[in-house]
């Protein structure tokens, strides 16, 4: 069975600083995908970044980068130059071979001025 | 392209009633998945439809059902509502054809409150 673990329930980060959100996963599948989503208080899940299990390069999307360490089964999200609008809940998710997403418990990020 | 839309956005029902939620995927997407989000259980997969067929199902009772129409729009039905069904119901669409790790794009969700 697949499992996603996010050990940080909440974090404070100062504006313009970088923050790393931890995510570890467990799966016996050889092919899988790792995703990060942002959920503001409005409730909508916003896709941020994707990393495939066979991708050798770490994924980057603007201020978001994914630090993928396959041997350690970790897929940490790095947000650079934090902005006030980055305050939200962040979820790490993994898809199985059928595309079904399993989510971690999430990390609440609060960006302070 | 327009994003995923869900209606209604908010809903209040009483125990024992039934409810139908609707989801329109991104144009061209044929896969629609439904998730339930509660403070206690987090995000849980309900089911996935592709080309009008249920392709994947989570661990929910039979009171939870869904369907997909030929235009890929999907509906989710919950019968005999219980207090514990109060949740945010999220719909996601993807361009996945034969399964696999296609990105799922989510709608704004429907907040259901059962009294």
């Amino acid at each position: 069975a697949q499992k996603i673990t996010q050990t940080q329930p909440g974090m404070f980060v100062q504006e313009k600083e970088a923050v790393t959100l931890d995510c570890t996963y467990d799966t016996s599948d050889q092919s899988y995908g790792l995703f990060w989503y942002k959920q503001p208080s409005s409730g909508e899940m916003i896709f941020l970044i994707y990393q495939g299990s066979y991708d050798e390069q770490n994924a980057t999307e603007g201020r978001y980068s994914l630090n993928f360490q396959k041997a350690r089964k970790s897929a940490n999200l790095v947000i650079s130059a934090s902005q006030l609008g980055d305050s939200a809940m962040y979820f790490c998710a993994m898809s199985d071979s059928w595309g079904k997403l399993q989510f971690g418990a999430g990390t609440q990020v609060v960006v302070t001025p | 392209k327009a994003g995923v839309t869900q209606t209604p956005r908010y809903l209040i029902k009483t125990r024992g009633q039934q409810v139908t939620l609707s989801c329109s995927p991104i144009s061209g997407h044929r896969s629609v998945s439904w998730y339930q989000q509660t403070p206690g259980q987090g995000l849980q997969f309900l089911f996935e439809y592709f080309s009008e067929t249920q392709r994947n199902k989570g661990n929910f009772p039979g009171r939870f059902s869904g369907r997909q129409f030929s235009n890929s729009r999907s509906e989710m039905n919950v019968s005999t509502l219980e207090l514990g069904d109060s949740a945010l119901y999220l719909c996601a669409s993807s361009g996945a054809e034969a399964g696999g790790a296609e990105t799922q794009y989510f709608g704004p969700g429907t907040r259901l409150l059962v009294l």
Side-chain angles (χ1 to χ4, degrees):
Chain A
Q2 295 185 321
K3 187 176 180 183
I4 294 278
T5 303
Q6 294 180 253
T7 57
Q8 306 153 309
M11 299 182 72
F12 284 96
V13 59
Q14 268 202 313
E15 206 176 358
K16 298 179 186 174
E17 290 191 347
V19 61
T20 298
L21 307 183
D22 295 339
C23 173
T24 57
Y25 61 92
D26 192 19
T27 181
S28 55
D29 290 346
Q30 295 301 310
S31 176
Y32 51 88
L34 295 158
F35 301 81
W36 278 92
Y37 286 88
K38 170 185 177 181
Q39 187 178 42
S41 55
S42 60
E44 183 171 358
M45 296 285 281
I46 301 167
F47 165 71
L48 296 177
I49 197 166
Y50 162 77
Q51 179 86 38
S53 58
Y54 292 115
D55 295 340
E56 295 186 353
Q57 301 264 18
N58 285 341
T60 59
E61 287 284 352
R63 295 186 298 111
Y64 304 107
S65 60
L66 199 153
N67 184 0
F68 181 46
Q69 297 186 43
K70 194 171 182 177
R72 297 181 61 185
K73 293 189 174 179
S74 76
N76 298 339
L77 176 71
V78 179
I79 306 174
S80 63
S82 296
Q83 301 171 356
L84 295 178
D86 293 335
S87 294
M89 195 76 163
Y90 288 80
F91 290 95
C92 179
M94 179 168 58
S95 64
D96 61 16
S97 55
W98 283 101
K100 182 177 83 175
L101 286 177
Q102 181 149 358
F103 288 85
T107 297
Q108 181 72 49
V109 172
V110 176
V111 181
T112 59
Chain B
K1 266 188 186 177
V4 178
T5 58
Q6 290 186 247
T7 57
R9 293 292 311 278
Y10 304 91
L11 209 47
I12 300 176
K13 292 285 187 179
T14 55
R15 278 180 298 174
Q17 287 187 310
Q18 75 164 17
V19 67
T20 299
L21 313 181
S22 180
C23 171
S24 292
I26 292 171
S27 177
H29 283 186
R30 293 163 64 190
S31 170
V32 174
S33 297
W34 289 89
Y35 296 84
Q36 181 198 62
Q37 185 177 24
T38 60
Q41 300 296 320
L43 280 148
Q44 294 184 284
F45 172 78
L46 280 155
F47 28 64
E48 185 227 356
Y49 285 87
F50 179 81
S51 290
E52 302 178 65
T53 301
Q54 187 181 84
R55 190 163 64 174
N56 223 332
K57 189 177 187 304
N59 190 24
F60 277 82
R63 300 185 297 106
F64 292 82
S65 63
R67 59 178 176 168
Q68 187 180 33
F69 302 94
S70 57
N71 61 358
S72 294
R73 188 177 70 86
S74 176
E75 286 182 348
M76 188 194 117
N77 185 274
V78 188
S79 63
T80 319
L81 284 166
E82 300 176 0
L83 295 179
D85 297 334
S86 295
L88 177 66
Y89 290 89
L90 291 161
C91 163
S93 77
S94 81
E97 292 291 332
E102 288 284 334
T103 298
Q104 293 185 30
Y105 296 92
F106 284 79
T110 295
R111 290 190 186 273
L112 172 65
L113 176 63
V114 182
L115 301 175

